[in-house]
């Protein structure tokens, strides 16, 4: 007896749900990163049933949630909603173990709030539902280490911020043979339009980006908390290169790779390609972010782009060698050092001015800049209060610094 997606007459997966299921045939671990109502829990439950019946009959699997109430009210409820009753052989309520008829698969239902309780037998597959509610990755690590000889795991969740362990595992430093699919609420065609519209009216700003658009945005200590990924926000294809406008660079010097993105010992060299707009704003249309490369190599790479050389490069005044190298290419350099707090205020004004106009636009290809504009945050443990605010952390400040240098000349704009 087998069950396939095509034979599951009640389950009508939308295109991204299909992509989620198919990704698990070629990847060890898949993250379904979805907004509210995107179908993530349903997909997780269906995949658990397919794994039990079709792909790994006779296997041992585990379904996890951050707490027993969430496990029973959401994950298990969705699982039993879709499981054909003819497959239920025995369910031990005390041990929370289900044995399936005909195929002999054993499924354990567990809460992840006590990681040590998860130590036990080897399993072949695992589903972790809503792991954003777990502050630590310990439960995931324990269960993932038990998956053998096959290793199939899927996580279904609405995202938390970019400081959550999920972001580190799937975005900043992806696990080997992992895959992430992101699904917005409005991408589920089975949802009534009124449902999504009602949530849009209720949710705003960063909360809407996280809960409805499945964006990796954070609330805690963000310096540029007015930076928006919404359709009318700061990321737009309209920021592409305009041949009728002069080009300039915003430059932050660096070299060290350290432990990579998101770590304090990571210091790349950054060049942002920028153009002022007719309304007193700025477009960032390209970027170079690299480590372990000499200054002349970075400059040569920038000049090999299909854009014209810049009229001016705004560079940190302390980067003397880099300024000299740029000057050697007949590009005027301007020392753009200024008081950091004043520079941040200027950037915030461009992100959204007093009338809500977004004068700063960044092209989607500038992925490093977009990420750091969201992750750049204050040092909330610092005692060095400046102008009534904590200073920025020296983490994820590379693209924001290059941007701050580049737009300093616009500080007296309207």
């Amino acid at each position: 007896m087998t069950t396939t997606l095509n034979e599951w007459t009640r389950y009508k997966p939308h295109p991204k749900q299909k992509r989620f299921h198919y990704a698990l045939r070629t990847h060890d671990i898949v993250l379904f990163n979805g907004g509210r109502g995107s179908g993530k829990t349903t997909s997780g439950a269906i995949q658990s049933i397919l794994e039990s019946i079709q792909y790994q009959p006779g296997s041992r699997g585990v379904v996890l949630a951050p707490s027993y109430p969430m496990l029973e009210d959401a994950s298990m409820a969705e699982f039993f909603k879709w499981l054909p009753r003819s497959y239920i052989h025995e369910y031990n309520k005390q041990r929370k173990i289900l044995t399936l008829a005909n195929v002999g698969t054993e499924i354990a239902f567990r809460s992840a709030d006590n990681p040590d309780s998860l130590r036990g037998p080897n399993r072949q597959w695992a589903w972790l539902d809503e792991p954003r509610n777990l502050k630590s990755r310990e439960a995931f690590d324990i269960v993932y280490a038990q998956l053998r000889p096959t290793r199939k795991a899927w996580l279904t969740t609405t995202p938390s911020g970019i400081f959550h362990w999920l972001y580190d595992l799937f975005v900043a430093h992806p696990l080997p043979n992992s895959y992430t699919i992101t699904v917005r609420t409005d991408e589920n065609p089975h949802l009534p339009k009124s449902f999504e519209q009602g949530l849009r009216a209720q949710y705003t700003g960063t909360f809407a980006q996280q809960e409805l658009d499945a964006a990796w945005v954070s609330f805690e200590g963000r310096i540029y908390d007015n930076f928006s990924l919404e359709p009318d926000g700061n990321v737009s294809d309209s920021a592409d290169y305009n041949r009728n406008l002069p080009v300039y660079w915003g430059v932050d010097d660096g070299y060290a790779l350290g432990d990579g993105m998101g770590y304090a010992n990571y210091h790349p060299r950054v060049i942002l390609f920028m153009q002022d707009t007719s309304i007193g704003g700025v477009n960032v249309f390209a970027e170079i972010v690299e480590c372990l490369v000499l200054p002349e190599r970075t400059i040569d790479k920038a000049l090999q782009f299909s854009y014209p050389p810049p009229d001016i490069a705004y560079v940190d005044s302390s980067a003397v060698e880099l300024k000299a190298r740029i000057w050697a290419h007949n590009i005027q350099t301007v020392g753009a050092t200024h008081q950091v707090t004043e520079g941040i205020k200027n950037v915030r004004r461009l992100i959204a001015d007093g009338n809500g106009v977004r004068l700063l636009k960044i092209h989607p290809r500038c992925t490093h800049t977009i990420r750091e504009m969201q992750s750049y945050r204050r040092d909330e443990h610092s005692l060095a209060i400046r102008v009534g605010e904590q200073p920025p952390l020296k983490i994820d400040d590379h693209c924001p610094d290059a941007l701050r240098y580049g737009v300093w000349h616009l500080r007296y704009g309207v």
Side-chain angles (χ1 to χ4, degrees):
M1 183 182 295
T2 61
T3 304
T4 68
L5 283 175
N6 291 333
E7 294 168 351
W8 214 295
T9 56
R10 292 191 302 134
Y11 179 50
K12 305 295 183 183
H14 59 67
K16 286 198 170 179
Q17 285 178 311
K18 289 182 180 179
R19 191 188 305 174
F20 164 76
H21 295 298
Y22 296 149
L24 278 159
R25 308 277 56 82
T26 56
H27 295 78
D28 292 338
I29 181 168
V30 175
L31 173 67
F32 189 127
N33 176 55
R36 289 194 61 184
S38 59
K40 57 187 182 297
T41 303
T42 297
S43 293
I46 294 291
Q47 185 63 38
S48 300
I49 296 170
L50 290 176
E51 209 71 37
S52 302
I53 296 173
Q54 179 181 347
Y55 301 132
Q56 297 194 62
S59 62
R60 276 180 167 173
V62 60
V63 174
L64 301 119
S67 66
Y68 273 115
M70 184 174 293
L71 176 71
E72 294 175 341
D73 296 343
S75 315
M76 289 180 65
E78 194 70 16
F79 178 89
F80 282 104
K81 169 186 172 183
W82 293 100
L83 178 69
R85 295 295 179 264
S86 59
Y87 278 97
I88 298 178
H89 171 65
E90 180 185 13
Y91 177 60
N92 188 315
K93 290 185 178 181
Q94 184 176 2
R95 297 177 60 210
K96 284 189 167 52
I97 291 181
L98 171 68
T99 305
L100 298 186
N102 303 312
V103 293
T105 301
E106 181 183 283
I107 305 166
F109 297 93
R110 296 287 181 263
S111 169
D113 57 357
N114 182 6
D116 284 335
S117 69
L118 301 174
R119 303 183 190 277
N122 292 337
R123 298 182 171 95
Q124 285 70 57
W125 58 266
W127 169 33
L128 178 52
D129 193 25
E130 289 297 349
R132 75 162 177 173
N133 293 311
L134 293 174
K135 294 182 179 180
S136 165
R137 57 179 278 187
E138 183 180 3
F140 167 80
D141 287 340
I142 290 172
V143 171
Y144 195 53
Q146 295 170 346
L147 300 181
R148 63 187 70 168
T150 60
R151 174 169 284 189
K152 288 295 177 185
W154 51 98
L155 300 86
T156 55
T157 190
T158 300
S160 188
I162 56 178
F163 310 123
H164 195 276
W165 59 270
L166 282 171
Y167 184 87
D168 188 57
L169 282 186
F170 290 94
V171 182
H173 310 96
L175 288 168
N177 202 28
S178 63
Y179 183 84
T180 298
I181 181 168
T182 297
V183 186
R184 301 189 313 272
T185 298
D186 61 6
E187 289 183 296
N188 184 354
H190 306 307
L191 278 181
K193 194 65 178 176
S194 58
F195 176 83
E196 195 268 339
Q197 291 173 341
L199 291 179
R200 287 284 176 192
Q202 181 181 355
Y203 298 160
T204 59
T206 302
F207 192 66
Q209 293 174 39
Q210 202 177 80
E211 294 291 316
L212 302 181
D213 299 327
W216 294 97
V217 294
S218 292
F219 304 96
E220 306 87 357
R222 288 180 63 196
I223 289 177
Y224 296 127
D225 55 2
N226 59 341
F227 184 82
S228 173
L229 299 177
E230 295 178 357
D232 58 349
N234 299 103
V235 179
S236 173
D237 290 324
S238 66
D240 211 347
Y241 168 66
N242 185 334
R243 64 192 306 176
N244 297 316
L245 297 174
V247 174
Y248 62 91
W249 291 350
V251 185
D252 184 48
D253 199 14
Y255 182 82
L257 176 62
D259 294 312
M261 289 189 303
Y263 291 91
N265 56 3
Y266 172 65
H267 297 287
R269 182 176 299 111
V270 176
I271 296 180
L272 300 185
F273 295 68
M274 309 164 73
Q275 293 180 307
D276 290 344
T277 67
S278 60
I279 61 172
V282 61
N283 290 338
V284 181
F285 62 88
E287 66 180 11
I288 292 177
V289 180
E290 57 185 8
C291 299
L292 306 179
V293 176
L294 295 174
E296 54 268 30
R297 295 288 298 275
T298 304
I299 297 168
D300 287 343
K301 180 177 180 179
L303 292 174
Q304 288 171 8
F305 277 25
S306 59
Y307 313 116
D311 293 345
I312 300 175
Y314 295 95
V315 190
D316 180 1
S317 299
S318 64
V320 178
E321 180 187 0
L322 180 59
K323 288 176 63 179
R325 298 281 184 183
I326 294 174
W327 184 268
H329 287 273
N330 297 317
I331 300 170
Q332 180 183 354
T333 62
V334 175
T337 301
H338 51 264
Q339 188 176 358
V340 175
T341 54
E342 292 302 314
I344 288 173
K345 290 177 184 177
N346 183 49
V347 173
R348 285 182 61 88
R349 176 187 66 81
L350 295 170
I351 292 173
D353 69 9
N355 296 315
V357 177
R358 298 192 177 274
L359 299 171
L360 171 67
K361 296 288 184 177
I362 302 174
H363 195 277
R365 71 170 66 94
C366 302
T367 56
H368 292 275
T369 304
I370 294 168
R371 185 188 74 83
E372 290 193 350
M373 289 299 288
Q374 299 173 76
S375 60
Y376 188 38
R377 64 192 192 276
R378 302 189 185 283
D379 184 356
E380 297 183 343
H381 300 291
S382 173
L383 299 178
I385 305 299
R386 301 174 186 173
V387 198
E389 298 178 342
Q390 292 96 343
L393 278 172
K394 296 299 292 179
I395 299 176
D396 289 336
D397 59 345
H398 322 290
C399 296
D401 279 356
L403 176 65
R404 181 163 54 82
Y405 300 147
V407 302
W408 183 239
H409 68 283
L410 297 172
R411 63 194 181 279
Y412 298 124
V414 178

